[in-house]
Amino acid sequence: MRRSIKYSIFFLAVVFFNPAMLFSQPGFGQAEKINKDWHFHLGDMDRNSVANYERDQWQAVQLPHDWSVKQVHSPASASASGYLPGGLGWYQKKIKLSKQDQGKKIYLYFEGVYNRSEVFVNGKSVGKRPNGFISFCYDITAYVKYGEENQIDVRVDHRLDADSRWYTGSGIYRDVWLIKANPLHLQQWGVYIYPEVTIKKGILHLQTAVKNDSQKFSYFSIIQELVDNKGFVVTKKTNKVSLKAGDSSQFKSDLTVNEPKLWSLETPILYTLRTRIIQDKKVVDSNSVQTGFRQFTFDADKGFALNGAWMKIKGVCLHHDAGVLGAEFYSEVWRRRLITLKSLGVNAIRTSHNPQSPLLYKLCDELGLLVMNEAFDEWEFAKRKWLQGWNVGTPGFQGSNDFFKEWGERDLADMVKRDRNHISIFAWSIGNEVDYPNDPYSHPVLAGTKEGGFTQPIFGGYKKDAPDASQLGEIAKRLSAVVRKYDASRPVTAGLAGVAMSNETDYPGTLDIAGYNYTESRYAQDHKHYPKRVIFGSENRHDFDAWKAVTDNEYIFGQFLWTGIDYLGESGRWPSRGFYSGLLDFGGFIKPRGYFRQSLWSDKPMAFLGTYSLAGGGAANDVWSNLESEQGKQKNRAPSMDAWPIWNYQEGQQIRVVCYTNTQQARLELNGKIVGKTKPYDTKTGIIFWDIAYAQGSLEVIGMDKEGMDITRKKLQSSRRQSAIQIVNSKGVSFERKDGIVQIELQIVDDDGIPVMHSDDEIICEIIGNARLLGMEAGNNSDMSNYTDNKQRVFHGKMIVYIQATGKAFEEINVRFTSPWIKSCQLKLLIPNVD
């Protein structure tokens, strides 16, 4: 591997503007989103029964649809899946094709179906796809009828509901498209661009794949023009080419741009590439692609540079669920989440541990967030998983390993081809912790005869009967070759869990950059032993020392925290919906540790106040938080990164007040009087704290520069009893045009409008009009109640409510929130015109 690696990336996100101006991810033909008017049946049935089902016995659903999240939590279910069941289900939809469609190619494109799906058209199987995270497309031309209804059936088999260590969801949980294409058309994901970028000039190297499904030799032109962010065409090129009947080919060309505007984290400037296929003076196919210019560099000694500027990656790992919404993807829900993460200083995400919705990458392109796109958590062997409860009995080995040999390389190729044009993606990860010691691979180094360096359990030393870890290198070589075949412009990486073991294999040598999971202790020695290896933290705890391992070593270019947002699954002991280490909770609200991270990562002056009783032993209540802050050992001496902004205790009670700030010093005032002397920023913990006696009123921290000048302030106010439900974002509440979603933030307040953090009141949501309640999410990990109804308890006095419009444009929707003993609130909403 070269010591310094430079990559110039040009991004394109495939966009096709149909009459409804929808974002069309397939990138060819006339694509129509067909998410409405599906029917669903949970349970298996023979194909004849499916073809002749009674509609009133099936549930009417709208995609995206995740049936698991709509079930009941049970301690008998797998903790891996968040104590939610999987199962087997059928979907059905009828579509009508006009006689004018004859002669066109007809396709079905699924962005994601979890999992082991099989698609039928008019009773005939058109294909199977076992991987639930991969997008796929079927040519159904030979199966359809024109001038009449056609029936689509989708069988989804998720009976192995603990086949992942985290919550996956079940069903058709992403968008589905019907595509009509002329015989001569662009291929699926057929436009690929990569640049050669300098300060003065950018050369776009274009690869355009076209297929000729007609019965004749075809002459045609490929016209491509680049439009800047102000709507001006900056360059254009026409290529006259030809294809034999039934043939396909890839045509290459270049576009040159003088002084291109670079995409960056601060100014994510995007261009648009328009491609048209012209035959006999007619446009037979086209697409529009958002695009941008950028350059990055990886160096074994200096780390990472974006557009020539050396920087640190401040990343988070993200799973694909959204709390009560499960795996169902709604663009505006994730836009809010990503914007919130970026406000904390986050500049990168890792898609742990699978490809995510195409729209997520589009959001990152637009918002200015780097992405490490990851393919697999398992290869040829499954990992241990708790199949019933947590830490009880014998772990099982459900997984995706049974289809990896047949499908793994194809799945990886499809991920790269689908996503390679997103400028936000800076690396491809071929695996996460597939080298976890003795789960399943083993090696003599685990016997302790050589250097160790593990920070995770190694399950009893070397196991001779376990799979040989040397196999890792061979598999990694094959997977890396697949990535480089379809995109040589970005580095290949992986998250290594057992670095000491993997160093005895060829595995790390197949990678361009090496991710270390929770292994900061090996940074220095491996940098010395492998001086050409580019190292970064691919998965890390939130503790201060893990971040200092990045800032204190120039050659470590960044870290990815586990995690950015709380996620369902990988749960602890019941009651536990999921893993609770996020900067944000299930509802996308910032947790105290989010503000702690903001104090480390944000350039804007900030201060946050949190408190907890010294008698309680700290603010962290879950296993992960205790491990990070080592409260189990230090208790009262360790300032917590999980202190909630509460100022309601017993008079005189001893309270620890913590301040997360990026100012150089701070002091504490209570009711205008200094109760905490000025203290400098703590370079050992990153947290300033004071121990004081509680008194009701206003607690305020003042962050100051080194001269003692006030820079920022943060106040906590004692609250009285809860009095009313307040809509926090009432001025900005409206249905989003893209997916018809409204996100309503609620807060319980007292008579003075002060948030009541101790409130756990139950709120009831009532909707009058053509809209449906998608869910009410308060972010409470231990609340295992029914999430499918219209009532839910707040957590720390707040929740978010998701509502989707189902009616026509300009219809009025009335929403009312009530709770016993406190004042209700309501609002009126207008369905937007999406045409």
Side-chain angles (χ1 to χ4, degrees), residues 79 244 251 428 596:
S79 59
K244 295 179 182 179
F251 302 97
W428 304 107
F596 174 65

Side-chain angles (χ1 to χ4, degrees), residues 583-654:
L583 302 179
L584 314 182
D585 65 18
F586 296 117
F589 294 113
I590 303 173
K591 295 163 61 178
R593 63 175 49 207
Y595 291 107
F596 174 65
R597 190 55 43 173
Q598 186 181 42
S599 73
L600 302 179
W601 284 359
S602 178
D603 295 328
K604 297 180 180 179
M606 61 79 61
F608 172 86
L609 269 183
T611 70
Y612 53 91
S613 167
L614 284 175
N621 296 316
D622 59 284
V623 175
W624 188 256
S625 300
N626 277 296
L627 175 64
E628 290 168 328
S629 58
E630 296 184 339
Q631 290 188 16
K633 295 180 181 179
Q634 300 183 26
K635 290 189 177 180
N636 295 345
R637 294 187 291 110
S640 172
M641 69 178 82
D642 295 297
W644 290 91
I646 297 171
W647 194 236
N648 283 87
Y649 297 95
Q650 296 293 323
E651 288 290 326
Q653 187 177 358
Q654 284 296 110

Side-chain angles (χ1 to χ4, degrees), residues 709-727:
M709 296 293 294
D710 291 6
I711 299 176
T712 185
R713 290 171 175 255
K714 186 66 177 180
K715 182 184 294 186
L716 293 182
Q717 181 70 45
S718 302
S719 67
R720 291 185 285 172
R721 291 186 177 275
Q722 54 267 49
S723 172
I725 306 170
Q726 184 180 88
I727 300 174

Side-chain angles (χ1 to χ4, degrees), residues 607-611 645-647 657-661 665-679 688 690 692 694-704 710-718:
F608 172 86
L609 269 183
T611 70
I646 297 171
W647 194 236
V657 180
V658 300
C659 172
Y660 314 141
T661 184
Q665 52 185 333
R667 72 173 183 273
L668 187 68
E669 296 181 358
L670 178 59
N671 296 324
K673 297 181 179 179
I674 296 176
V675 291
K677 65 178 182 179
T678 299
K679 288 187 177 183
I688 301 173
W690 302 268
I692 66 172
Y694 172 77
Q696 185 176 349
S698 175
L699 185 70
E700 186 173 27
V701 67
I702 298 91
M704 301 171 285
D710 291 6
I711 299 176
T712 185
R713 290 171 175 255
K714 186 66 177 180
K715 182 184 294 186
L716 293 182
Q717 181 70 45
S718 302

Side-chain angles (χ1 to χ4, degrees), residues 182-201:
N182 288 309
L184 180 67
H185 61 85
L186 293 163
Q187 291 193 45
Q188 176 187 335
W189 310 320
V191 179
Y192 169 45
I193 309 173
Y194 60 97
E196 196 178 325
V197 180
T198 66
I199 296 176
K200 297 293 184 180
K201 184 172 66 175

Side-chain angles (χ1 to χ4, degrees), residues 353-368:
H353 305 289
N354 52 267
Q356 299 201 18
S357 167
L359 288 172
L360 182 79
Y361 307 99
K362 185 174 185 290
L363 287 171
C364 291
D365 299 332
E366 295 170 354
L367 297 175

Side-chain angles (χ1 to χ4, degrees), residues 23 25 111 135 174 356-362 418 422:
F23 173 77
Q25 206 276 328
E111 291 186 3
S135 300
R174 296 179 189 159
Q356 299 201 18
S357 167
L359 288 172
L360 182 79
Y361 307 99
K362 185 174 185 290
R418 188 196 74 170
H422 287 284

